[in-house]
Amino acid sequence: MKKRRYSYEEKTEFIEYIAMRHTSWECLIWPFNLTDAGYPVYEPHVQGHRYVCELQNGPPPGPFYDAAHSCGLRACVNRLHVRWTTKVVNAADRITHDTHNRGERAAAAKLTNAQASEIRRRPETHAALAREYGVSPAAIWHVRHGKTFKDAA
C-alpha cells in the first residue's frame, strides 16, 4: 500500500493553525508521514518537530543542536515539548525516557539483557562462553567489564 503524499501547504497549515496554537501539555501527534525512525516529515530535509522548535524558540544556538522532546515521543510536535539542546543532553534524555537503543535494543545485538546478566555471573572462560552464545571472546569481555549491556542486571 502506497503512502499518501501530503502537500507542503497541508503540513504548514497544521503547524500554523494547530501546533503553534496548541496550549495543552498533552502530546500533539504529527498526523502526516513519519521517517523510518518515527520523526515527523515536514519537508524532505526538515523534520516537523525541528521546525516547530524553531518557530517556538528561535533558530538553534549553534549548528550542532538538536530539537529535543521533553516528552520523549518522537512524533510529538507540541511546541511546549520541544527545545534546543546539545547532542549529549539529548542522548541523556533518551536514557531518561527509555527510548535508547542500547543493549538488546541495538540493531546489531546478538545477546539479550538476560544473557548478558547470566554471562556476568558465570565463571567459565571468555572463549567457552563465546562458543556457547555464538559471539566472540571480545564480546564476552565487553559484557563482563560493563562496556556493553550496561543496563543489564
Side-chain angles (χ1 to χ4, degrees):
M1 177 185 246
K2 192 173 181 180
K3 289 183 182 179
R4 178 174 177 234
R5 295 184 70 86
Y6 295 94
S7 71
Y8 170 78
E9 289 77 19
E10 289 175 290
K11 295 175 187 179
T12 301
E13 189 172 293
F14 177 82
I15 288 173
E16 288 178 6
Y17 295 105
I18 297 174
M20 295 312 295
R21 296 178 185 190
H22 188 71
T23 57
S24 168
W25 277 98
E26 291 187 24
C27 288
L28 178 62
I29 305 303
W30 183 251
F32 307 109
N33 301 18
L34 302 172
T35 65
D36 290 340
Y39 291 104
V41 176
Y42 176 58
E43 291 184 52
H45 300 289
V46 179
Q47 294 175 343
H49 71 290
R50 189 169 175 90
Y51 183 62
V52 168
C53 187
E54 189 159 341
L55 291 175
Q56 178 68 19
N57 304 306
F64 303 110
Y65 277 73
D66 289 343
H69 295 90
S70 62
C71 60
L73 189 61
R74 293 175 176 180
C76 178
V77 290
N78 184 331
R79 65 190 176 88
L80 305 174
H81 292 188
V82 291
R83 71 195 188 289
W84 296 118
T85 189
T86 64
K87 294 188 181 304
V88 171
V89 172
N90 201 15
D93 283 352
R94 286 195 292 277
I95 304 296
T96 303
H97 297 139
D98 198 30
T99 56
H100 60 82
N101 61 348
R102 296 178 0 179
E104 65 187 11
R105 291 182 185 176
K110 293 182 179 178
L111 299 169
T112 65
N113 288 340
Q115 289 172 322
S117 295
E118 186 178 328
I119 287 167
R120 288 196 182 105
R121 287 191 291 273
R122 292 180 55 185
E124 291 92 342
T125 66
H126 292 129
L129 289 171
R131 279 191 299 277
E132 182 178 334
Y133 288 100
V135 296
S136 70
I140 300 298
W141 184 93
H142 281 96
V143 169
R144 283 187 163 165
H145 288 86
K147 303 295 181 189
T148 56
F149 289 91
K150 295 175 185 176
D151 300 330

